[in-house]
Each structure stands twice: as structure tokens, then as C-alpha cells.
């Protein structure tokens, strides 16, 4: 009707001097009229949405209604139809509101008409011709089963899959969402659900942002129907910062600075802002607003669209829960999120895994993003951390500092949070921020995940390039890991099976209660029984942490707290310095502290890798003499000791080994063989001696005195230990002091200090922190051969190693009168067969019996090796016979010739001053 009336008036008013033109013009106008009538009655653009008749027949606002004057003023040049006039008037209103235009405003009556038009248009997508045309293919693809026949549904469907739409459809959907922000009454569904709430809640609102934001701010108090509509809109518009005016206004400068070339939509700008959140020049208002937005996503799973879309299938397959159920039931929502985080490594969808990682990264930065933690610790946060500003993990740190006073529910939630965060540097916000430079320089090629970057930073802890801030954060993290093995991600995963078998029930089953180092101590005590190599490696790594910093041994740190405060208050922890200090005051510190230090020393003395200085100084010797020897159980040290008498053995390494052996021969607990094989005998025969342990060899002397009563495996270890003590003899040493007089009598000039020339001042210096000399150095030394015993001794003991033991053994063989205790000590050190002969009243007879046993064992006839008949006749000698005698004669000749050759070479070589040997230390292994 409107078109027909308009056509008649136009035709009638048409003036032309040519009469023929007027009828032609009227025909043309009539055709246009009928054409538009046909359009209005044509098949709907989107058939599934239902059949409709366009508003005013052209899908635009009435031309001669309340907006007639405004149309003439602002949109006179536009052809009516398909919402063009509505769009023109709306733009005028928005430009005036923003201050982009000045002058006449759109009349209130027209504004009301526009609202009514848009509300009616929102009932069915076919009413909005530009939207229907732009989104037709997307509706067929994503929303084909949705209809607008009973209630608006197609547009809501399109908004929910906006990230999957074509660009032209996205643009039209954005327009509809923008219209709602300007006036929520323009959307039928939201207006119908929230009109009463707007009257009740926002009638007296002083907000400058309008009714829609008033409703959003009071979302928790409005009706359920209104709440659902508001949540739906926030969910569907959350991907575009332009649809959040408050955030957009506060972050406008940040967007222009950091995200200038980032296209809006699909969460791209929001992601960009979040990635730059820790930049020093990032504006605080934007940071606060962005954190508030992220906090809303955490508290309402419906708003966390990226996680919902990426993980819908994984939630079903891995966690057995649907998105719909998580949106309806609080318990299922929390369990689903926990499931995704716990099984993150097993997720198959890369996008889902990335979203879960992003969520955990946020949780590490702000406790509000860990919903369980935030809810559980609300009271404790108000009690202990009320003045602490949220963000940058400050509240989490505050809760950790007050752990002992937290409620059990908060302590449990905090511990669970810490366990999850131990896996990745991204989840350790303070360390990641403090070590940003080090991560990019020292660990740039290290793959993230499984605490690999954290481990890398630990290996560079003493690197000069590491800043003090990064160093302190890494140390803090190590101390925290030592509190509970579950906070040590690598060790926890490597040792989970061994913990279940070797250390069951070591931790309290009460949630949030920390093990306090009990499991770590148990693993060390059962190190020989650990099945997985990866677990052994992680336990060793933890032991290296203990050796370096006393605070990494929780039990020791607690036992020695007062002693450290009293004797080592001015010692900076790290590189074993506090251990060195405590051992220096070993006679003054408490028994509890001394016992814990001794336990640590036992570990150190059983593995060369736990004595950094010894390991460094002996690196070349180890590569030459002990290349295939596996570390652990003191095997490498035993190998080095067995070879340190060789002429080319390094003096620095020999000296450090000497210090170690001095400590070992004064305390049986530092000798792995004696400590393990003689434990039962110590408890049975030397219990009283254990109370006298102060580096006096009390237990070793007791075991020597009871030697004949010991078990065979203990006898073997004691014999070895005493043999080593005599071989490495030094005057006044507790174990061998009983032989000092005999050494003076029978071995003059061969005594003294022996290897190294000094005793270890601090027994068993566990720190072993010095770098030592020789690493990578070049030195020259004279190779002159001293002729006297004293001169031989001055060459760092090279020619005195074992000299005293050999001398005393020789005195025993020659039946010289030795002190009773010294003779017993020498016999204890002797091999079993030799000890049996020398303990016998008739050594020749003992030898005779041994030869008889050997011949029988070999299946030989009597007198094959020696003339036993002559001895049987009473001759006090055993005579070699046959081929065995010939072999012995030839061997004796070879020894004589070899000795002569050595003497000849020494007599004919150049003078000492003409010779120089160059020794090059090759550095660490």
C-alpha cells in the first residue's frame, strides 16, 4: 500500500513538456511497485528459519512514520529497503554519542521506532535481509536444524559458532551484537527475559554505561531467564574486545601498542594482550580489567568458550563428562577441569591441550584463576593476605608463607595447586618472570614441559650469567621441592613405582599434609633396591642438591636450625658452605644435627659424584684408570685408590684421596663395606663404642679386637679397611696409633704423613666445593729421583704409599718383636691364607697343609709340585720339584734381569736438572 500510494503521487506530480513521457514514467513506477511487492512475497532466504513477510514490505523502517523528518535530514540520499535507512539512523545516533558528529540529534520518537523495528526484526533471521543473505551458507552448514518459527534460534546458533563462520557472516553477526550493546531492548529474546529485571534493578542506576551493563553487573541477582540470556550474550561476544566497551576503553592504548596489527575477533586481540601482560609498560587499568574478565571465565564455565570448543570431545573420551553436564552441575564442572589438567599429557587434541596449558598458566599467575584454591582459601586469604594485591602469584606466595597456619581445606588445595604447577616453567610464574633472560639465553634450546626448563636453570645455578633474581627463585624452588617428593615433578614420575614398594605409608594420607622429606630420605636409604634407572638418576640429582645447600635436606635443616643460627649465621648457603661450617664445629653442634650431617657424609663418601671437588680433581685419573667403572657404592673411589701409587697419577687427585681416606679410617660409617657388612656385629659386640664416635675409630678398633669372632663377610671388610689404613699410614692416627712405636723402631725414615702431607682438618668436608687446581692448567715439575727415604717422602708421598705397611709386614715375616696390638693389627690386615699361617705355631706345617689341599683340588699326585715326602720325614723345609721348580727358577731369573735393567736405566739417564716433565690436566669429565 505504501509503495502504491508513493507511486501514484510521484506519477501525478511528474511534470514534462513532452506528453508521451508522463505515461511512460507512470508505467515504470507501477512496475517498480509490483517488483517490490513480489520481493516482499518471495520465498524466504533461509527456508529453515520459517516463512515471513518483510516489515513494511521492504525490510526497512516506515518512511512516513515517526522517523520521516529524521530520514529526510540524515538519510535522504539512500534508497529504502533491506534495513539501509535503519542502519543510517543508527550510525547517526552512535556517531553523535561518540562525539564523531555534531548537530541535530535523532528524535526520541524515531529512536523508539527504531528499537521496536529492530526488536521485531530479531524474531526471525529472514526479517534481516543483509544478515540472511550473508549467512545463508553458514546456516546450511552449522544451523540447518534450527528454526525461528516459534522463538529466535538461528541467529543464536550462528553466534555460538561465530569462530567458524565466513567473514561476511561474521560481520553481520557482529552488527547484531553491537546493536544489543547500544540498547538491549532491540533484541527480542533479551528484552523479553530482562524487561522486568531492568525496571527493578536498574531504575535507579547511576551507571553511565546504560541498562545493559547495569544488568550485567547485577547478573547474580536477576531472574534465571534474564541471567541465562546475559550469560549467553557474554559467551557469544567474548571473542571480540570491541563487544566489551569497558575493556576496550581501558585497553585501547595497550591494543595500539602491542596488538596494532592484530585483527579483532576469534580471541586474537585478547590473546595478544594476555601474552604481553607482564611487560613493564603494560597499562595497569587494562591489566586489572583483563584479569577480571579471565576471572569471570573461570567462575562460569559457559563463558570459557575456547576451552569448551576445543575440549568437548576430550571431556567425553577422557573424562566421561559432557559439556552440557558441566554447564549444569558444579561438581561435574570442577571434576572435568581437574581431569583435563591431570591427564593433560594424554590428551590427543592439540588445541585442547594448548587451552588446558593456557588455563594452568593463568592459575599460576593469579589464585583467582584456580577456582578450587580461591574457594578453599577465601577465609585464609582475608585473614593473612588481605592487603596483598591479586596477580603476579603474590597471593599464592603469601599463602605458602603462612602454610603452617592455614585451614586444612586451604592447605590441601594449595598443595594440590603446587603439585600441578611443578611440571612446567609456564606454571611457575615468579621463576618464569625472574628468569626470562636466562631462559632465552642459557636454556633457549630446551623443550618445555616435564620440568625440563626448570632443570636447565638449576644446572646453571652458579653461572655468572645468571641474575641474582633468577638465582634466588631457582633456589627457592629447590627448597620447596625438598619439602615433598611430589613437588619434584621429575623425581615423582620417575620413582612412583619404587615409592609404592620401598616407602609405603611414609606420607600422611591427610590432604595437604607435606611429607617433610621422609620419602626422599627413604629412597636414599634404599637406593640399592631402586629398580628404575631414571629413579636412581633423580635421587642422585636430589642428593647433589642436598650436598650443595643444607636447606634442600628438610630433616637436616630442621635438626640443625639452631646450630646454623649459632655457629654459621654469617655463612651464605650454597656450594656446601653451611655443611663445611657445621662439620668444623662438629664437637659443638647438637647430637641431632651431628647425626644428620653424618648421614649425609655417608652418602657423599659412597659416590664420588657427591664430592664435587674430588670428582673435579680426579677427572683425568678417572678417565684413564677407571674408565669403565660405574659410579656408586664407592667403586670409583676404590679404583682410584688402587691406582694412586702409579707414577703418573696426579698429585692433586692423590692429595684429595688422602683426605678422604683419613676420614674413612677414623669412622666406620664412611666405609660402605664395613658399615653394611658389619652392622650386625657392631650392634652385637661394639654397641658401647658407637657412643664414642667423634672421629676416634672407636668402632673400628672394637671390631679389630673382636676380629676372630666376627662373621666372615665382616672379617673380609675389616681386613681390607685395616690393610688400607696401614698402607696409607700416618702417625697418631686412632686406628694405627698402636703401631707408632714399632714404625719408629723398624721403619725409620719411612713414616710421616704419607700421601698428601696433611690431615683433613674438617672431618669429611661434605661441601667439597672448591674447584681445585689443575683443571685446564699447565705445570712443569722436576722428575729427579731422590735417593733417601726422607727425600722420597717429600715428593708428595709418591714413594711412601704402602711403605709402612710393607715394612711392618716384613717385620712380622722376619719374626721381629712387635707390640701385641700392632701384631694383631697386621695379622688382621693380612689375607686370610697368610693370616692363618702366621697365626699358626708352625707356619711351615700350615704351608704344607695348604699345598696338600691345592694338589688334591687340582687332581695331582703327591710330590707333583713339591717334595712332600722330605717334609714328612722330618725335614723343616718344603722343596719344589719337577716342572713347577723349573717355572719358579725361570720366574726368579726374570725378576733379577728386570731389576737389573731398571737399575741400569736409572744410572744412565740425564741429571735431574736437565729433565722436565709436563703434566696437562684435561679438565672435567
Amino acid at each position: 500500500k505504501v509503495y502504491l500510494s508513493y507511486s501514484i503521487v510521484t506519477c501525478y506530480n511528474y511534470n514534462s513538456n513532452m506528453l508521451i513521457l508522463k505515461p511512460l514514467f507512470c508505467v515504470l513506477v507501477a512496475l517498480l511497485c509490483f517488483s517490490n511487492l513480489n520481493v516482499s512475497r518471495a520465498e524466504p532466504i533461509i527456508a529453515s528459519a520459517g516463512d515471513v513477510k518483510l516489515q513494511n514490505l521492504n525490510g526497512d523502517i516506515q518512511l512516513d512514520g515517526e522517523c520521516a523528518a529524521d530520514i529526510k535530514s540524515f538519510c535522504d540520499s539512500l534508497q529504502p529497503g533491506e534495513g539501509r535507512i535503519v542502519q543510517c539512523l543508527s550510525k547517526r545516533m552512535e556517531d553523535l554519542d561518540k562525539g564523531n558528529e555534531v548537530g541535530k540529534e535523532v528524535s526520541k520518537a524515531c529512536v523508539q521506532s527504531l528499537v521496536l523495528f529492530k526488536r521485531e526484526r530479531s524474531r526471525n533471521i529472514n526479517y534481516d535481509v543483509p544478515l540472511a543473505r550473508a549467512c545463508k551458507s553458514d546456516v546450511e552448514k552449522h544451523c540447518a536444524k534450527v528454526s525461528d518459527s516459534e522463538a529466535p534460534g538461528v541467529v543464536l546458533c550462528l553466534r555460538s559458532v561465530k569462530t567458524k563462520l565466513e567473514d561476511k557472516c561474521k560481520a553481520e553477526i557482529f552488527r547484531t551484537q553491537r546493536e544489543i550493546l547500544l540498547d538491549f531492548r532491540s533484541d527480542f529474546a533479551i528484552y523479553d527475559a530482562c524487561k522486568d529485571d531492568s525496571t527493578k534493578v536498574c531504575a535507579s542506576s547511576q551507571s553511565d554505561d546504560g541498562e545493559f551493563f547495569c544488568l550485567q553487573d547485577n547478573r547474580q541477582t536477576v531472574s534465571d531467564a534474564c541471567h541465562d540470556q546475559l550469560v549467553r550474550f557474554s559467551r557469544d561476544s567474548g571473542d571480540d574486545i570491541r563487544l566489551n566497551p569497558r575493556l576496550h576503553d581501558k585497553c585501547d592504548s595497550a591494543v595500539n601498542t602491542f596488538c596494532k596489527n592484530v585483527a579483532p575477533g576469534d580471541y586474537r586481540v585478547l590473546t595478544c594482550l594476555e601474552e604481553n601482560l607482564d611487560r613493564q609498560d603494560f597499562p595497569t587499568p587494562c591489566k586489572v580489567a583483563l584479569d577480571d574478565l579471565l576471572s569471570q571465565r573461570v567462575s562460569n564455565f559457559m563463558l570459557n568458550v575456547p576451552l569448551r570448543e576445543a575440549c568437548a570431545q576430550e571431556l567425553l573420551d577422557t573424562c566421561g563428562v559432557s559439556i552440557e553436564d558441566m554447564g549444569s552441575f558444579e561438581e561435574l564442572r570442577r571434576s572435568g577441569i581437574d581431569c583435563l589438567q591431570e591427564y593433560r599429557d594424554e590428551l590427543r587434541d592439540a588445541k585442547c591441550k594448548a587451552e588446558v596449558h593456557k588455563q594452568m598458566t593463568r592459575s599460576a599467575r593469579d589464585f583467582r584463576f584456580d577456582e578450587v584454591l580461591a574457594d578453599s582459601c577465601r577465609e585464609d586469604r582475608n585473614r593473612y593476605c588481605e592487603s596483598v594485591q591479586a596477580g603476579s602469584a603474590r597471593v599464592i606466595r603469601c599463602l605458602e608463607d603462612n602454610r603452617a597456619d592455614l585451614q586444612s581445606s586451604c592447605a590441601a588445595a594449595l598443595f594440590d595447586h603446587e603439585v600441578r604447577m611443578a611440571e612446567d616453567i609456564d606454571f611457575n610464574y615468579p621463576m618464569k618472570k625472574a628468569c626470562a633472560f636466562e631462559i632465552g639465553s642459557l636454556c633457549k634450546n630446551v623443550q618445555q614441559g616435564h620440568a625440563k626448563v626448570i632443570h636447565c636453570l638449576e644446572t646453571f645455578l652458579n653461572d655468572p650469567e645468571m641474575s641474582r633474581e633468577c638465582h634466588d627463585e631457582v633456589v627457592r624452588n629447590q627448597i620447596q621441592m625438598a619439602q615433598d617428593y611430589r613437588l619434584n615433578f621429575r623425581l615423582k614420575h620417575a620413582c612412583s613405582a619404587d615409592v609404592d614398594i620401598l616407602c609405603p605409608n611414609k606420607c600422611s594420607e591427610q590432604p595437604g599434609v607435606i611429607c617433610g622429606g621422609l620419602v626422599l630420605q627413604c629412597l636414599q636409604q634404599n637406593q640399592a633396591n631402586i629398580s628404575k634407572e631414571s629413579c636412581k638418576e633423580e635421587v642422585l640429582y636430589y642428593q647433589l642438591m642436598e650436598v650443595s645447600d643444607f636447606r634442600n635436606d628438610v630433616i637436616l635443616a630442621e635438626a640443625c636450625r639452631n646450630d646454623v643460627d649459632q655457629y654459621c649465621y654469617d655463612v651464605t648457603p650454597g656450594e656446601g658452605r653451611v655443611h663445611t661450617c657445621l662439620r668444623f664445629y662438629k664437637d659443638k653442634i647438637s647430637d641431632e644435627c651431628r647425626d644428620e650431617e653424618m648421614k649425609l657424609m655417608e652418602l657423599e663418601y659412597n659416590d664420588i659424584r657427591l664430592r664435587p671437588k674430588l670428582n673435579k680433581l680426579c677427572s683425568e685419573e678417572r678417565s684413564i684408570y677407571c674408565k669403565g667403572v660405574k659410579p656408586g657404592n664407592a667403586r670409583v673411589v676404590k679404583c682410584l685408590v688402587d691406582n694412586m701409587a702409579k707414577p703418573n697419577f696426579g698429585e692433586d687427585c692423590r692429595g684429595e684421596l688422602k683426605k678422604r681416606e683419613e676420614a674413612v679410617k677414623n669412622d666406620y660409617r664412611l666405609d660402605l663395606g664395613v658399615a653394611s657388612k658389619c652392622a650386625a656385629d657392631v650392634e652385637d659386640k661394639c654397641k658401647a663404642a658407637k657412643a664414642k664416635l667423634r672421629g676416634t675409630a672407636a668402632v673400628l678398633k672394637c671390631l679389630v679386637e673382636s676380629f676372630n669372632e666376627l662373621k666372615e663377610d665382616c672379617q673380609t671388610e675389616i681386613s681390607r679397611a685395616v690393610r688400607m689404613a696401614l698402607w696409607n699410614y700416618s702417625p697418631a692416627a686412632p686406628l694405627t696409633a698402636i703401631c707408632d712405636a714399632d714404625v719408629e723402631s723398624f721403619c725409620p725414615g719411612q713414616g710421616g704423613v704419607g700421601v698428601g702431607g696433611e690431615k683433613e682438618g674438617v672431618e669429611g668436608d661434605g661441601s667439597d666445593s672448591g674447584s681445585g687446581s689443575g683443571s685446564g692448567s699447565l705445570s712443569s715439575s722436576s722428575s729427579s729421583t731422590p735417593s733417601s727415604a726422607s727425600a722420597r717422602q717429600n715428593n708428595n708421598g709418591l714413594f711412601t704409599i704402602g711403605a709402612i705397611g710393607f715394612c711392618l709386614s716384613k717385620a712380622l715375616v722376619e719374626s721381629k718383636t712387635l707390640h701385641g696390638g700392632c701384631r694383631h693389627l697386621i695379622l688382621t690386615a693380612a689375607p686370610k691364607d697368610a693370616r692363618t699361617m702366621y697365626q699358626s705355631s708352625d707356619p711351615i706345617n700350615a704351608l704344607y697343609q695348604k699345598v696338600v689341599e691345592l694338589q688334591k683340588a687340582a687332581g695331582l699326585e703327591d710330590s707333583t709340585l713339591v717334595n712332600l715326602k722330605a717334609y714328612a720325614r722330618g725335614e723343616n723345609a718344603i722343596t719344589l720339584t719337577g716342572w713347577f721348580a723349573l717355572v719358579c727358577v725361570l720366574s726368579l731369573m726374570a725378576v733379577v734381569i728386570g731389576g737389573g735393567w731398571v737399575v741400569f736405566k736409572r744410572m744412565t739417564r740425564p741429571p735431574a736438572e736437565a729433565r722436565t716433565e709436563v703434566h696437562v690436566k684435561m679438565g672435567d669429565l
Side-chain angles (χ1 to χ4, degrees), residues 121-263:
R121 185 175 63 176
S122 68
R123 287 176 178 269
N124 192 300
I125 190 173
N126 284 319
Y127 280 136
D128 195 331
V129 177
L131 175 64
R133 285 176 177 168
C135 296
K136 182 177 180 179
S137 62
D138 286 305
V139 171
E140 294 173 353
K141 191 181 300 181
H142 304 292
C143 306
K145 297 181 180 180
V146 182
S147 174
D148 285 338
S149 57
E150 295 183 1
V154 177
V155 173
L156 295 180
C157 173
L158 290 172
R159 289 174 185 167
S160 68
V161 293
K162 189 167 58 172
T163 57
K164 302 176 183 178
L165 303 179
E166 295 179 8
D167 290 343
K168 60 182 180 179
C169 183
K170 280 183 183 179
E172 289 299 322
I173 290 293
F174 174 80
R175 171 179 60 79
T176 65
Q177 292 175 312
R178 182 72 177 162
E179 288 174 350
I180 296 173
L181 284 177
L182 296 175
D183 195 329
F184 83 98
R185 297 173 302 170
S186 63
D187 184 88
F188 174 80
I190 296 179
Y191 176 74
D192 191 53
C194 297
K195 58 186 176 182
D196 294 336
D197 294 290
S198 176
T199 303
K200 294 177 184 178
V201 177
C202 302
S204 59
S205 174
Q206 301 297 320
S207 174
D208 296 330
D209 297 326
E211 288 182 86
F212 185 71
F213 286 99
C214 169
L215 291 170
Q216 289 281 25
D217 293 340
N218 294 277
R219 195 161 57 195
Q220 303 305 321
T221 62
V222 299
S223 62
D224 291 342
C226 181
H227 176 274
D228 292 344
Q229 288 295 331
L230 295 173
V231 169
R232 184 192 294 271
F233 179 84
S234 296
R235 179 197 71 188
D236 296 342
S237 62
D239 71 309
D240 198 323
I241 191 173
R242 296 171 299 176
L243 295 175
N244 190 331
R246 290 176 173 175
L247 181 65
H248 185 271
D249 291 345
K250 293 179 179 179
C251 293
D252 187 51
S253 62
V255 171
N256 291 330
T257 302
F258 305 109
C259 313
K260 189 174 182 179
N261 298 320
V262 178

Side-chain angles (χ1 to χ4, degrees), residues 700-701 703-705 707 718-719 721-723 725-726 729 733-740 808-809 812 818-830 835:
L700 285 171
K701 288 191 286 187
L703 291 173
V704 169
E705 293 171 3
F707 183 81
I718 288 296
S719 178
V722 174
R723 187 160 56 248
L726 288 173
Y729 170 84
L735 182 60
T736 58
I738 196 169
C739 290
D740 285 353
L808 292 174
S809 300
L812 177 66
L818 296 169
H819 184 277
C822 183
R823 186 177 190 279
H824 178 67
L825 194 68
I826 298 171
L827 288 175
T828 300
R835 182 168 58 250

Side-chain angles (χ1 to χ4, degrees), residues 315-335:
L315 282 165
L316 276 175
D317 298 342
T318 306
C319 307
V321 60
S322 68
I323 288 289
E324 292 74 18
D325 290 340
M326 290 179 67
S328 303
F329 301 100
E330 184 75 10
E331 195 66 29
L332 287 178
R333 179 173 64 83
R334 290 191 175 184
S335 64

